């Protein structure tokens, strides 16, 4: 597996997102044993970058990751997130990036993960009630104490990134980016490169749509949250199938799967990008990591650059309202 540098942090250029191992997407919680096998297989295949968050579960995902990494902690750059659990207030799902809440959050994450340090600690969502300078200052103290190694932000605006970076260097930004979500190209990516901040695309496969295996909403369970996502509903769903079919055409040319082509396109965008496709299955992690060996021609990259834009907003209105823009 090739490696890239995220603001000076060395990681495999394909990581693993663990969120779906704790009750997200199509198949409920699934098997913890299979999830742990998936993490172990990823490590065996050269993945060194693992992503979780305290809100996943909540808490259960960090515990699962901690169990999976027993005896193998030194093989990974371990990333987790704070700020979507208010520990002294309203609980999970409520923004709180106050310094006091961060102190509580980090101790819980360290315990659940079974480690004495977090390699990359992200603010999960920007908290409008806490100045970003105060949040970053609190994480900087944790870095000085050795409990955290690097600071990350998630779904932060360009203005917030600049303010944060002025207090303490930001190592990486995590934000949605894929063949059908390309908002970051206008302002965010150029800024990250100006400031030498790495980029971690989440949902690089469009919440599974870009795998080409979801051809009907009937393929989703009744309680799958994607059934309310604008890109998975109504006419948007059918229009977006055409986008997937364009990806499938390139995949056929290179002898790869649509998912591998979608990841290879992201990897072609720069050596400061490390997507974190999520899965709970060994077969999927094998498919995704194999994208490291997929080479696209300049013509194929250009054709993918000019895909029909996705129809529909990337999240429903309430979720978009919580994103710093």
């Amino acid at each position: 597996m090739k490696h890239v540098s995220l603001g000076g942090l060395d990681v495999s250029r394909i990581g693993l997102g663990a969120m779906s191992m704790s009750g997200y997407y199509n198949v409920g919680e699934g098997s913890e044993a299979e999830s742990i096998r998936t993490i172990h297989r990823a490590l065996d295949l050269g993945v060194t970058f693992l992503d979780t968050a305290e809100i996943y579960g909540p808490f259960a995902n960090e515990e699962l990751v901690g169990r999976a990494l027993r005896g193998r902690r030194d093989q990974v750059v371990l990333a987790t997130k704070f700020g979507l659990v208010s520990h002294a207030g309203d609980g999970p799902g409520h923004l709180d990036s106050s310094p006091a809440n961060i102190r509580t959050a980090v101790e819980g994450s360290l315990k659940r993960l079974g480690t004495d340090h977090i390699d990359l600690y992200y603010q999960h969502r920007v908290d409008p009630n806490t100045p970003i300078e105060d949040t970053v200052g609190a994480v900087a103290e944790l870095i000085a104490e050795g409990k955290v190694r690097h600071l990350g932000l998630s779904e932060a605006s360009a203005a917030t990134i600049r303010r944060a970076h002025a207090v303490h260097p930001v190592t990486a930004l995590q934000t949605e980016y894929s063949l059908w979500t390309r908002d970051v190209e206008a302002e965010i990516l150029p800024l990250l490169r100006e400031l030498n901040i790495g980029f971690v695309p989440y949902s690089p496969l469009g919440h599974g749509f870009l795998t080409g295996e979801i051809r009907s909403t009937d393929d989703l369970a009744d309680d799958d949250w994607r059934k309310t996502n604008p890109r998975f509903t109504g006419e948007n769903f059918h229009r977006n199938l055409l986008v997937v079919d364009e990806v499938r055409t390139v995949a056929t040319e290179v002898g790869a799967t649509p998912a591998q082509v979608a990841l290879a396109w992201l990897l072609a965008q720069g050596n400061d990008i490390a997507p974190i496709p999520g899965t709970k299955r060994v077969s999927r992690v094998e498919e995704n990591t194999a994208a490291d060996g997929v080479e696209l021609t300049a013509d194929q990259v250009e054709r993918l650059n000019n895909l029909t834009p996705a129809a529909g907003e990337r999240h429903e209105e309430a979720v978009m309202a919580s994103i710093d823009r």
Side-chain angles (χ1 to χ4, degrees):
M1 173 80 67
K2 301 180 186 72
H3 281 218
V4 296
S5 175
L6 301 176
L9 179 62
D10 181 87
V11 298
S12 58
R13 67 173 183 161
I14 298 175
L16 174 62
M19 182 184 81
S20 65
M21 296 176 183
S22 298
Y24 295 84
Y25 293 101
N26 233 17
V27 289
E29 294 186 5
S31 161
E32 177 174 313
E34 175 71 0
S35 293
I36 290 176
R37 283 195 297 271
T38 298
I39 292 173
H40 290 170
R41 183 62 177 143
L43 301 184
D44 293 342
L45 291 168
V47 172
T48 68
F49 190 29
L50 192 58
D51 182 272
T52 181
E54 65 171 358
I55 190 63
Y56 301 159
F59 312 125
N61 197 245
E62 287 185 327
E63 293 171 347
L64 184 153
V65 169
R67 286 191 290 274
L69 292 181
R70 284 175 187 161
R72 304 186 73 169
R73 172 65 181 92
D74 60 353
Q75 293 181 240
V76 301
V77 171
L78 184 55
T80 192
K81 310 177 197 74
F82 67 87
L84 271 178
V85 179
S86 179
H87 291 278
D90 297 320
H94 295 272
L95 293 172
D96 189 347
S97 284
S98 64
N101 199 64
I102 293 171
R103 281 277 171 187
T104 302
V106 75
E107 295 302 333
S109 290
L110 288 169
K111 182 177 180 179
R112 288 185 293 271
L113 291 166
T115 186
D116 63 356
H117 71 279
I118 294 163
D119 295 301
L120 179 57
Y121 202 34
Y122 293 102
Q123 180 190 38
H124 207 152
R125 291 292 184 272
V126 175
D127 177 6
N129 298 314
T130 304
I132 192 64
E133 291 82 1
D134 293 351
T135 297
V136 172
V139 177
E141 290 178 2
L142 298 176
I143 292 172
E145 294 167 16
K147 294 179 178 179
V148 170
R149 299 283 173 84
H150 297 269
L151 164 68
L153 300 176
S154 179
E155 290 283 12
S157 69
T160 298
I161 294 167
R162 283 193 182 278
R163 287 170 56 196
H165 195 71
V167 176
H168 186 279
V170 177
T171 294
L173 174 75
Q174 182 177 141
T175 291
E176 187 172 352
Y177 184 36
S178 70
L179 280 170
W180 78 344
T181 300
R182 298 177 58 182
D183 318 55
V184 298
E185 293 176 344
E187 185 178 13
I188 296 296
L189 270 178
L191 174 63
L192 299 182
R193 284 164 177 163
E194 174 192 333
L195 300 177
N196 190 33
I197 298 172
F199 186 56
V200 179
Y202 77 81
S203 295
L205 302 178
H207 308 297
F209 208 113
L210 293 171
T211 66
E213 296 189 8
I214 302 171
R215 304 301 297 184
S216 166
T217 53
D218 293 337
D219 295 332
L220 305 177
D222 290 342
D223 58 352
D224 191 313
W225 69 270
R226 289 173 292 185
K227 282 207 165 181
T228 62
N229 182 285
R231 294 186 179 176
F232 285 78
T233 57
E235 184 57 31
N236 288 345
F237 183 93
H238 298 289
R239 289 173 61 188
N240 288 332
L241 286 176
L242 300 178
V243 179
V244 175
D245 289 341
E246 294 178 67
V247 178
R248 188 185 297 278
T249 298
V250 175
T252 300
E253 293 173 4
V254 299
T257 66
Q260 290 168 342
V261 165
L263 291 170
W265 175 83
L266 270 176
L267 298 176
Q269 304 310 303
N271 59 4
D272 52 359
I273 293 177
I276 48 168
T279 184
K280 62 180 78 177
R281 301 176 185 173
V282 168
S283 60
R284 287 289 185 219
V285 85
E286 291 174 342
E287 176 185 359
N288 292 340
T289 54
D292 181 53
V294 174
E295 297 291 340
L296 301 174
T297 67
D299 175 69
Q300 288 165 337
V301 171
E302 184 62 20
R303 285 157 55 199
L304 292 168
N305 285 342
N306 291 293
L307 285 178
T308 304
E313 187 57 86
R314 63 188 177 102
H315 292 295
E316 56 189 287
E317 186 175 342
V319 177
M320 290 303 298
S322 71
I323 292 176
D324 182 44
R325 287 182 287 174

PDB file of all heavy atoms in Angstrom, residues 29-45:
ATOM      1  N   GLU A  29     -26.449  -3.936  13.304  1.00  0.00           N
ATOM      2  CA  GLU A  29     -25.146  -3.957  13.953  1.00  0.00           C
ATOM      3  C   GLU A  29     -24.221  -5.014  13.362  1.00  0.00           C
ATOM      4  O   GLU A  29     -23.015  -4.888  13.419  1.00  0.00           O
ATOM      5  CB  GLU A  29     -25.324  -4.181  15.455  1.00  0.00           C
ATOM      6  CG  GLU A  29     -26.029  -3.019  16.140  1.00  0.00           C
ATOM      7  CD  GLU A  29     -26.065  -3.186  17.641  1.00  0.00           C
ATOM      8  OE1 GLU A  29     -25.471  -4.137  18.148  1.00  0.00           O
ATOM      9  OE2 GLU A  29     -26.708  -2.350  18.292  1.00  0.00           O
ATOM     10  N   GLY A  30     -24.793  -6.069  12.795  1.00  0.00           N
ATOM     11  CA  GLY A  30     -23.962  -7.091  12.184  1.00  0.00           C
ATOM     12  C   GLY A  30     -23.156  -7.856  13.219  1.00  0.00           C
ATOM     13  O   GLY A  30     -23.457  -7.852  14.413  1.00  0.00           O
ATOM     14  N   SER A  31     -22.127  -8.500  12.789  1.00  0.00           N
ATOM     15  CA  SER A  31     -21.324  -9.357  13.644  1.00  0.00           C
ATOM     16  C   SER A  31     -20.082  -8.623  14.114  1.00  0.00           C
ATOM     17  O   SER A  31     -19.300  -8.135  13.300  1.00  0.00           O
ATOM     18  CB  SER A  31     -20.917 -10.617  12.872  1.00  0.00           C
ATOM     19  OG  SER A  31     -19.828 -11.254  13.478  1.00  0.00           O
ATOM     20  N   GLU A  32     -19.899  -8.555  15.421  1.00  0.00           N
ATOM     21  CA  GLU A  32     -18.687  -7.934  15.939  1.00  0.00           C
ATOM     22  C   GLU A  32     -17.455  -8.724  15.503  1.00  0.00           C
ATOM     23  O   GLU A  32     -16.416  -8.150  15.185  1.00  0.00           O
ATOM     24  CB  GLU A  32     -18.734  -7.840  17.458  1.00  0.00           C
ATOM     25  CG  GLU A  32     -17.451  -7.272  18.037  1.00  0.00           C
ATOM     26  CD  GLU A  32     -17.514  -7.040  19.534  1.00  0.00           C
ATOM     27  OE1 GLU A  32     -18.521  -6.470  19.992  1.00  0.00           O
ATOM     28  OE2 GLU A  32     -16.554  -7.420  20.227  1.00  0.00           O
ATOM     29  N   ALA A  33     -17.586 -10.044  15.466  1.00  0.00           N
ATOM     30  CA  ALA A  33     -16.454 -10.874  15.054  1.00  0.00           C
ATOM     31  C   ALA A  33     -16.051 -10.561  13.622  1.00  0.00           C
ATOM     32  O   ALA A  33     -14.851 -10.460  13.309  1.00  0.00           O
ATOM     33  CB  ALA A  33     -16.805 -12.354  15.197  1.00  0.00           C
ATOM     34  N   GLU A  34     -17.027 -10.389  12.748  1.00  0.00           N
ATOM     35  CA  GLU A  34     -16.714 -10.050  11.357  1.00  0.00           C
ATOM     36  C   GLU A  34     -16.095  -8.661  11.271  1.00  0.00           C
ATOM     37  O   GLU A  34     -15.164  -8.428  10.488  1.00  0.00           O
ATOM     38  CB  GLU A  34     -17.970 -10.126  10.491  1.00  0.00           C
ATOM     39  CG  GLU A  34     -17.789  -9.669   9.054  1.00  0.00           C
ATOM     40  CD  GLU A  34     -16.972 -10.618   8.177  1.00  0.00           C
ATOM     41  OE1 GLU A  34     -16.513 -11.673   8.672  1.00  0.00           O
ATOM     42  OE2 GLU A  34     -16.784 -10.296   6.990  1.00  0.00           O
ATOM     43  N   SER A  35     -16.591  -7.726  12.065  1.00  0.00           N
ATOM     44  CA  SER A  35     -16.017  -6.379  12.073  1.00  0.00           C
ATOM     45  C   SER A  35     -14.552  -6.412  12.494  1.00  0.00           C
ATOM     46  O   SER A  35     -13.696  -5.753  11.895  1.00  0.00           O
ATOM     47  CB  SER A  35     -16.811  -5.468  13.007  1.00  0.00           C
ATOM     48  OG  SER A  35     -18.118  -5.248  12.512  1.00  0.00           O
ATOM     49  N   ILE A  36     -14.258  -7.181  13.528  1.00  0.00           N
ATOM     50  CA  ILE A  36     -12.871  -7.284  13.989  1.00  0.00           C
ATOM     51  C   ILE A  36     -12.007  -7.976  12.944  1.00  0.00           C
ATOM     52  O   ILE A  36     -10.868  -7.558  12.682  1.00  0.00           O
ATOM     53  CB  ILE A  36     -12.804  -7.996  15.347  1.00  0.00           C
ATOM     54  CG1 ILE A  36     -13.406  -7.072  16.421  1.00  0.00           C
ATOM     55  CG2 ILE A  36     -11.373  -8.387  15.709  1.00  0.00           C
ATOM     56  CD1 ILE A  36     -13.496  -7.682  17.796  1.00  0.00           C
ATOM     57  N   ARG A  37     -12.556  -9.007  12.292  1.00  0.00           N
ATOM     58  CA  ARG A  37     -11.814  -9.652  11.193  1.00  0.00           C
ATOM     59  C   ARG A  37     -11.539  -8.648  10.071  1.00  0.00           C
ATOM     60  O   ARG A  37     -10.471  -8.669   9.454  1.00  0.00           O
ATOM     61  CB  ARG A  37     -12.595 -10.844  10.641  1.00  0.00           C
ATOM     62  CG  ARG A  37     -12.535 -12.093  11.508  1.00  0.00           C
ATOM     63  CD  ARG A  37     -13.014 -13.323  10.749  1.00  0.00           C
ATOM     64  NE  ARG A  37     -14.413 -13.223  10.355  1.00  0.00           N
ATOM     65  CZ  ARG A  37     -15.428 -13.618  11.120  1.00  0.00           C
ATOM     66  NH1 ARG A  37     -15.205 -14.140  12.316  1.00  0.00           N
ATOM     67  NH2 ARG A  37     -16.662 -13.508  10.691  1.00  0.00           N
ATOM     68  N   THR A  38     -12.497  -7.761   9.830  1.00  0.00           N
ATOM     69  CA  THR A  38     -12.338  -6.747   8.780  1.00  0.00           C
ATOM     70  C   THR A  38     -11.198  -5.793   9.126  1.00  0.00           C
ATOM     71  O   THR A  38     -10.366  -5.460   8.274  1.00  0.00           O
ATOM     72  CB  THR A  38     -13.657  -5.984   8.590  1.00  0.00           C
ATOM     73  OG1 THR A  38     -14.674  -6.897   8.164  1.00  0.00           O
ATOM     74  CG2 THR A  38     -13.510  -4.879   7.552  1.00  0.00           C
ATOM     75  N   ILE A  39     -11.145  -5.345  10.372  1.00  0.00           N
ATOM     76  CA  ILE A  39     -10.050  -4.469  10.798  1.00  0.00           C
ATOM     77  C   ILE A  39      -8.716  -5.191  10.673  1.00  0.00           C
ATOM     78  O   ILE A  39      -7.733  -4.636  10.145  1.00  0.00           O
ATOM     79  CB  ILE A  39     -10.288  -3.975  12.231  1.00  0.00           C
ATOM     80  CG1 ILE A  39     -11.495  -3.022  12.276  1.00  0.00           C
ATOM     81  CG2 ILE A  39      -9.039  -3.268  12.775  1.00  0.00           C
ATOM     82  CD1 ILE A  39     -11.918  -2.616  13.671  1.00  0.00           C
ATOM     83  N   HIS A  40      -8.662  -6.419  11.129  1.00  0.00           N
ATOM     84  CA  HIS A  40      -7.410  -7.175  11.047  1.00  0.00           C
ATOM     85  C   HIS A  40      -6.985  -7.396   9.599  1.00  0.00           C
ATOM     86  O   HIS A  40      -5.784  -7.295   9.274  1.00  0.00           O
ATOM     87  CB  HIS A  40      -7.561  -8.515  11.762  1.00  0.00           C
ATOM     88  CG  HIS A  40      -7.656  -8.393  13.243  1.00  0.00           C
ATOM     89  ND1 HIS A  40      -7.995  -9.441  14.069  1.00  0.00           N
ATOM     90  CD2 HIS A  40      -7.451  -7.324  14.068  1.00  0.00           C
ATOM     91  CE1 HIS A  40      -7.991  -9.030  15.328  1.00  0.00           C
ATOM     92  NE2 HIS A  40      -7.673  -7.756  15.355  1.00  0.00           N
ATOM     93  N   ARG A  41      -7.955  -7.688   8.732  1.00  0.00           N
ATOM     94  CA  ARG A  41      -7.615  -7.889   7.320  1.00  0.00           C
ATOM     95  C   ARG A  41      -7.095  -6.598   6.701  1.00  0.00           C
ATOM     96  O   ARG A  41      -6.144  -6.616   5.904  1.00  0.00           O
ATOM     97  CB  ARG A  41      -8.845  -8.386   6.550  1.00  0.00           C
ATOM     98  CG  ARG A  41      -8.602  -8.691   5.076  1.00  0.00           C
ATOM     99  CD  ARG A  41      -7.593  -9.794   4.903  1.00  0.00           C
ATOM    100  NE  ARG A  41      -7.416 -10.141   3.494  1.00  0.00           N
ATOM    101  CZ  ARG A  41      -6.245 -10.470   2.950  1.00  0.00           C
ATOM    102  NH1 ARG A  41      -5.147 -10.508   3.706  1.00  0.00           N
ATOM    103  NH2 ARG A  41      -6.158 -10.770   1.683  1.00  0.00           N
ATOM    104  N   ALA A  42      -7.695  -5.476   7.075  1.00  0.00           N
ATOM    105  CA  ALA A  42      -7.213  -4.183   6.576  1.00  0.00           C
ATOM    106  C   ALA A  42      -5.762  -3.965   6.979  1.00  0.00           C
ATOM    107  O   ALA A  42      -4.928  -3.551   6.160  1.00  0.00           O
ATOM    108  CB  ALA A  42      -8.097  -3.056   7.097  1.00  0.00           C
ATOM    109  N   LEU A  43      -5.430  -4.240   8.220  1.00  0.00           N
ATOM    110  CA  LEU A  43      -4.058  -4.073   8.675  1.00  0.00           C
ATOM    111  C   LEU A  43      -3.114  -4.999   7.911  1.00  0.00           C
ATOM    112  O   LEU A  43      -2.013  -4.598   7.518  1.00  0.00           O
ATOM    113  CB  LEU A  43      -3.952  -4.353  10.182  1.00  0.00           C
ATOM    114  CG  LEU A  43      -4.798  -3.481  11.121  1.00  0.00           C
ATOM    115  CD1 LEU A  43      -4.488  -3.828  12.572  1.00  0.00           C
ATOM    116  CD2 LEU A  43      -4.579  -2.004  10.866  1.00  0.00           C
ATOM    117  N   ASP A  44      -3.568  -6.229   7.685  1.00  0.00           N
ATOM    118  CA  ASP A  44      -2.732  -7.186   6.951  1.00  0.00           C
ATOM    119  C   ASP A  44      -2.477  -6.724   5.515  1.00  0.00           C
ATOM    120  O   ASP A  44      -1.436  -7.047   4.926  1.00  0.00           O
ATOM    121  CB  ASP A  44      -3.393  -8.568   6.929  1.00  0.00           C
ATOM    122  CG  ASP A  44      -3.449  -9.213   8.309  1.00  0.00           C
ATOM    123  OD1 ASP A  44      -2.698  -8.776   9.200  1.00  0.00           O
ATOM    124  OD2 ASP A  44      -4.268 -10.137   8.489  1.00  0.00           O
ATOM    125  N   LEU A  45      -3.440  -5.982   4.955  1.00  0.00           N
ATOM    126  CA  LEU A  45      -3.314  -5.490   3.580  1.00  0.00           C
ATOM    127  C   LEU A  45      -2.550  -4.168   3.489  1.00  0.00           C
ATOM    128  O   LEU A  45      -2.406  -3.618   2.401  1.00  0.00           O
ATOM    129  CB  LEU A  45      -4.703  -5.329   2.953  1.00  0.00           C
ATOM    130  CG  LEU A  45      -5.450  -6.642   2.668  1.00  0.00           C
ATOM    131  CD1 LEU A  45      -6.913  -6.369   2.330  1.00  0.00           C
ATOM    132  CD2 LEU A  45      -4.774  -7.400   1.528  1.00  0.00           C
TER     133      LEU A  45
END
